[in-house]
Amino acid sequence: EHNMAYDRGKGCPGVSPWITSTMPAHWWYVEPFAGLAAVYRNKPPAPRNTLVEVNPDTVAQLNAWRCANDHNPLAGLFDLVHCYGLVWLEEHAGELADIYALVYGDPPYPHATRCKTRMYGRHEWTDGTHQRFLRIVTQLDCNVAVSSYHNRMYARALKDWNADQRTVPTKWGGPRVEWLWTNYENVPAPEHFVGNDYRERWNTKKLLRRWRANFAGMPVWQQRAVLSELAAEHSQACTAENGVGRNVPS
């Protein structure tokens, strides 16, 4: 597989599953600052997926990953946009409000929180850029999750959101506490306790093993079709169950 090692902690074991476990069902998944898309590559795909990245070198790496991993159904299920993420969010805010969307924002972290302050070269952010980002995401009419290290600017702007934290390994300076702010209720899936008793859990485990084997035996085009159909069905069901007033394309 094409090397997609990531300088920050999203690609480290357990980090992306922690983030994705908080995400509610969605029809459209957006990463406006995709980087190497470690979170996208470790979550079930939505029917529609958009990765936005401003750095042309990173865009080239994502394209190389897509070409080198044609056997991976995730590799063909996203639209890759070479654009400044803040501009993309501003231009698509209305569209995001019209359907069942989820935006995961993982921007450059504020300088004061990092050991290395020039990790992003000419794509670094100032405090003014962070304030612009926070104004945009707090006005979006869709589900939003934001990652950063704890800092006063984010804590103040997102004080009405839910917050979670986890210690994660980093390339620079050892472990750090990663924060995740969400404008929705975090209800992680009970991954290790599916079923009311031992028999139900055992039967579910066998069922999942059988489905996994069947899925692995399908050609890639069929895997992609199944993933899209299941994601759409799950989003529709959760929308009906929660009474979320959004238009989910059929």
Side-chain angles (χ1 to χ4, degrees):
E1 178 170 321
H2 185 76
N3 183 17
M4 295 289 279
Y6 199 33
D7 284 346
R8 287 189 287 171
K10 306 303 182 302
C12 295
V15 179
S16 290
W18 162 57
I19 293 171
T20 61
S21 72
T22 72
M23 294 179 174
H26 45 279
W27 187 87
W28 188 10
Y29 176 75
V30 177
E31 286 192 25
F33 320 103
L36 294 180
V39 172
Y40 166 75
R41 291 185 290 108
N42 286 279
K43 68 181 288 296
R48 182 179 179 184
N49 304 276
T50 302
L51 305 181
V52 184
E53 176 55 42
V54 67
N55 189 327
D57 294 334
T58 306
V59 170
Q61 285 183 276
L62 284 169
N63 273 322
W65 174 76
R66 183 179 358 220
C67 294
N69 292 275
D70 189 57
H71 61 281
N72 185 334
L74 283 175
L77 285 176
F78 64 89
D79 298 318
L80 181 57
V81 183
H82 183 199
C83 175
Y84 190 44
L86 293 181
V87 172
W88 191 95
L89 285 174
E90 289 172 333
E91 292 179 349
H92 292 80
E95 188 179 356
L96 289 167
D98 289 337
I99 63 174
Y100 203 43
L102 186 147
V103 173
Y104 171 61
D106 184 26
Y109 289 5
H111 287 176
T113 68
R114 292 191 263 131
C115 299
K116 296 181 73 68
T117 59
R118 300 301 300 174
M119 289 173 59
Y120 303 95
R122 61 191 180 92
H123 303 295
E124 283 285 356
W125 282 17
T126 65
D127 284 351
T129 316
H130 284 284
Q131 290 165 359
R132 178 185 173 190
F133 165 67
L134 291 167
R135 284 195 300 270
I136 293 171
V137 295
T138 52
Q139 293 172 6
L140 289 177
D141 186 20
C142 66
N143 288 326
V144 183
V146 172
S147 283
S148 187
Y149 295 143
H150 193 273
N151 62 88
R152 188 172 301 176
M153 187 191 317
Y154 277 57
R156 184 184 300 117
L158 306 177
K159 60 182 175 61
D160 295 326
W161 290 24
N162 295 297
D164 197 4
Q165 57 181 290
R166 179 163 297 192
T167 301
V168 302
T170 66
K171 184 175 181 178
W172 315 107
R176 294 290 303 271
V177 178
E178 183 90 18
W179 280 69
L180 182 70
W181 286 273
T182 61
N183 67 352
Y184 51 82
E185 189 70 24
N186 297 346
V187 186
E191 298 174 356
H192 303 294
F193 301 96
V194 181
N196 295 318
D197 53 31
Y198 174 80
R199 182 177 295 276
E200 284 191 6
R201 290 192 291 272
W202 175 249
N203 287 337
T204 301
K205 185 176 181 179
K206 290 195 298 182
L207 180 67
L208 293 175
R209 186 184 298 123
R210 184 167 65 251
W211 284 356
R212 186 180 297 114
N214 290 340
F215 183 81
M218 297 177 183
V220 171
W221 65 266
Q222 197 170 48
Q223 289 180 343
R224 291 173 179 167
V226 169
L227 288 173
S228 293
E229 188 68 22
L230 288 175
E233 180 66 25
H234 184 53
S235 294
Q236 292 274 14
C238 289
T239 302
E241 179 181 349
N242 298 326
V244 178
R246 303 209 183 278
N247 300 318
V248 182
S250 57

